[in-house]
Amino acid sequence: MRPPLFCLPHRQMTELDHSASPHVANCTLPAPMPAEAMRLGALHSYGILDTPREGAFDDITRLAALICGAPMALVSLVDRERQWFKSEIGIGVSETPISSSICAHAIQQTDVFIVPDTLQDERFRHNPLVTGEPHLRFYAGASLRTADGLPLGTVCVLDTQPRELSPEQAEALRALARQTMAQIELRRLLTQAQESNHYRRQLMAIAGHDLKTPVRSAAYAIRKVQRELSPEQGAPLNVATEALARIDREFTQLATIAGTEGTTVAPDQAGFDLSEVLEPILGNWQQPALAKGLRLRSVPTHLRVLSNPTLLATLLGNLLGNAIKYTKHGSVLIGCRRRGDRVVVEIIDTGMGMDDLQTGEMFGAFRQVDTRSEGLGLGLWIVRSTAESLGHRVRVQSTLGRGSRFSVELPRA
């Protein structure tokens, strides 16, 4: 029988003495390949590449083009040697080589990536999509990021004339990127729902209520843009309202589909060096931590564990990203230690912390400690679901205003 998965904390949090261990060191970026391999692994795990067009994604590109007044819009996914378009307006092809991809630059940014004039930008003035058809002169893209921070692609708009985006249009593009990622997540969860009763129940709750929040954000952004336009100019945006209503109806349909029967499939597990999972995760989150002025520190390890490396990377990546997200000042530490025949991985932050009520609810789908924060609130629900499937114990200790400590216990190999 598996041990209880979650142990809720006492109010008092025990601090680690970081200075007591000579092994604690500032983490450094690993070689680029592991991080890129992790990003590509995440992209392929969604099973969305080379799938047929879907109305929900076409609605998003239509909204992006209308809101930003652009003749071209894409939902673009950046693969190893190509960028593939789940939806496109005005381009006329389903993919282009990675060598001509502006989106490959956009996914390296933490905010909307804007190129006002490609001919004035050394990176793109010789790009074949600039010098030849469709003669791109303007690009703006908001990245699609998983809950653990891995960039998959962008929602972007393009034009044949140099220009800028208004602040309202940029915010709308961010909202549409969040909505697109919600659709991608929901698509994968639906596949998992066919294999797991647990995922089905979660999907019904998500599709029935929580995913409507990004839809409302997009609708609000449209109204703000319309107020800046004359009635004649704003009339085409009425199509956007109809598209959002369609998305809402599709959520209801997905909830119905999620109620179908499925089977539970246990993930494969094997022995491997824990550092093989930790190093790419640290590399992925180093820059976001630095951008916030945080110290991201690690404790080097040579321990081997028994788990599924892909799922464990998802679990720990979400925990580390959550710690960085809710820490404004100070540091985040990830380390591990032996405990008999087990290995305990700990992620400790000096962030906002939680009270007992927040701690008890935080593993639900679409729960956020700070509702103003970015993201969909899926991170800790993914942690819970992944840990449950692997049989790993997760504990949390947190004190409001002082920080949190998450512990993941897994067997030694």
Side-chain angles (χ1 to χ4, degrees):
M1 180 178 293
R2 289 179 178 173
L5 185 61
F6 296 100
C7 299
L8 297 182
H10 299 294
R11 290 297 296 263
Q12 184 64 33
M13 175 180 175
T14 303
E15 298 287 348
L16 280 187
D17 183 1
H18 297 168
S19 63
S21 172
H23 301 293
V24 176
N26 290 330
C27 76
T28 58
L29 284 172
M33 192 57 193
E36 176 63 5
M38 181 178 289
R39 188 193 73 79
L40 290 170
L43 172 61
H44 294 161
S45 74
Y46 284 93
I48 193 172
L49 292 174
D50 299 310
T51 56
R53 293 186 73 143
E54 297 175 42
F57 294 96
D58 287 344
D59 286 342
I60 287 166
T61 51
R62 190 177 300 112
L63 285 168
L66 284 169
I67 292 169
C68 297
M72 293 168 278
L74 305 169
V75 172
S76 174
L77 299 170
V78 180
D79 202 0
R80 187 186 305 275
E81 296 180 351
R82 60 173 178 160
Q83 57 176 359
W84 178 80
F85 310 138
K86 177 61 180 173
S87 178
E88 59 84 18
I89 289 177
I91 296 292
V93 296
S94 62
E95 64 181 64
T96 58
I98 195 68
S99 58
S100 61
S101 172
I102 302 179
C103 294
H105 294 263
I107 64 173
Q108 300 176 34
Q109 312 302 315
T110 57
D111 199 5
V112 177
F113 179 61
I114 300 175
V115 183
D117 188 346
T118 56
L119 291 182
Q120 300 302 316
D121 193 311
E122 290 290 342
R123 295 168 294 181
F124 308 118
R125 63 170 53 184
H126 301 298
N127 188 302
L129 299 179
V130 173
T131 59
E133 291 291 338
H135 298 286
L136 300 179
R137 291 292 300 276
F138 167 80
Y139 174 96
S143 62
L144 306 172
R145 292 185 178 272
T146 66
D148 49 345
L150 296 172
L152 306 183
T154 70
V155 173
C156 63
V157 292
L158 310 102
D159 206 333
T160 56
Q161 301 295 325
R163 48 173 293 198
E164 288 279 2
L165 283 188
S166 71
E168 292 79 14
Q169 289 171 327
E171 180 54 37
L173 206 57
R174 294 185 192 98
L176 290 172
R178 293 193 293 269
Q179 173 64 24
T180 303
M181 199 62 227
Q183 291 282 352
I184 294 173
E185 290 281 4
L186 189 58
R187 224 178 155 280
R188 181 167 72 170
L189 290 172
L190 180 58
T191 300
Q192 293 172 333
Q194 295 170 349
E195 301 175 346
S196 169
N197 290 332
H198 171 75
Y199 283 118
R200 277 205 312 278
R201 291 193 298 270
Q202 295 292 341
L203 268 173
M204 292 177 72
I206 294 169
H209 176 70
D210 291 315
L211 283 182
K212 294 183 180 181
T213 298
V215 175
R216 289 194 293 267
S217 297
Y220 175 73
I222 291 171
R223 289 195 296 271
K224 289 184 68 176
V225 172
Q226 280 185 305
R227 286 198 291 268
E228 302 292 326
L229 304 174
S230 68
E232 293 76 19
Q233 291 173 322
L237 292 181
N238 292 330
V239 178
T241 303
E242 298 174 5
L244 289 172
R246 177 178 174 180
I247 291 172
D248 186 75
R249 290 193 298 271
E250 289 178 352
F251 281 152
T252 302
Q253 293 171 354
L254 285 170
T256 302
I257 296 171
T260 60
E261 289 297 320
T263 59
T264 301
V265 179
D268 295 331
Q269 300 193 41
F272 56 90
D273 291 338
L274 186 57
S275 61
E276 294 176 4
V277 168
L278 293 181
E279 289 180 4
I281 293 172
L282 288 162
N284 185 56
W285 283 106
Q286 177 73 4
Q287 189 57 43
L290 289 173
K292 294 186 67 175
L294 303 176
R295 286 193 303 161
L296 177 56
R297 305 192 295 163
S298 66
V299 179
T301 182
H302 300 289
L303 292 173
R304 289 178 58 81
V305 297
L306 182 65
S307 184
N308 180 291
T310 301
L311 293 179
L312 183 62
T314 296
L315 191 160
L316 296 177
N318 274 283
L319 286 178
L320 186 59
N322 190 74
I324 292 170
K325 179 179 180 179
Y326 291 114
T327 301
K328 293 184 178 180
H329 309 286
S331 65
V332 175
L333 169 71
I334 181 169
C336 57
R337 52 192 171 88
R338 291 174 54 180
R339 182 184 289 168
D341 63 347
R342 317 291 286 179
V343 173
V344 179
V345 181
E346 294 186 314
I347 296 174
I348 305 168
D349 65 64
T350 59
M352 61 191 301
M354 296 169 285
D355 58 26
D356 288 344
L357 178 61
Q358 291 171 317
T359 303
E361 296 179 343
M362 68 181 175
F363 287 104
F366 287 77
R367 301 295 183 187
Q368 292 178 307
V369 177
D370 183 354
T371 57
R372 297 167 299 176
S373 62
E374 289 290 322
L376 298 170
L378 281 172
L380 291 181
W381 175 65
I382 292 173
V383 167
R384 177 180 180 176
S385 302
T386 305
E388 187 174 74
S389 70
L390 292 169
H392 298 342
R393 185 194 299 265
V394 176
R395 302 172 186 261
V396 58
Q397 294 175 286
S398 189
T399 301
L400 191 63
R402 293 184 58 191
S404 302
R405 177 202 303 255
F406 287 84
S407 302
V408 181
E409 186 177 294
L410 53 160
R412 287 176 55 200

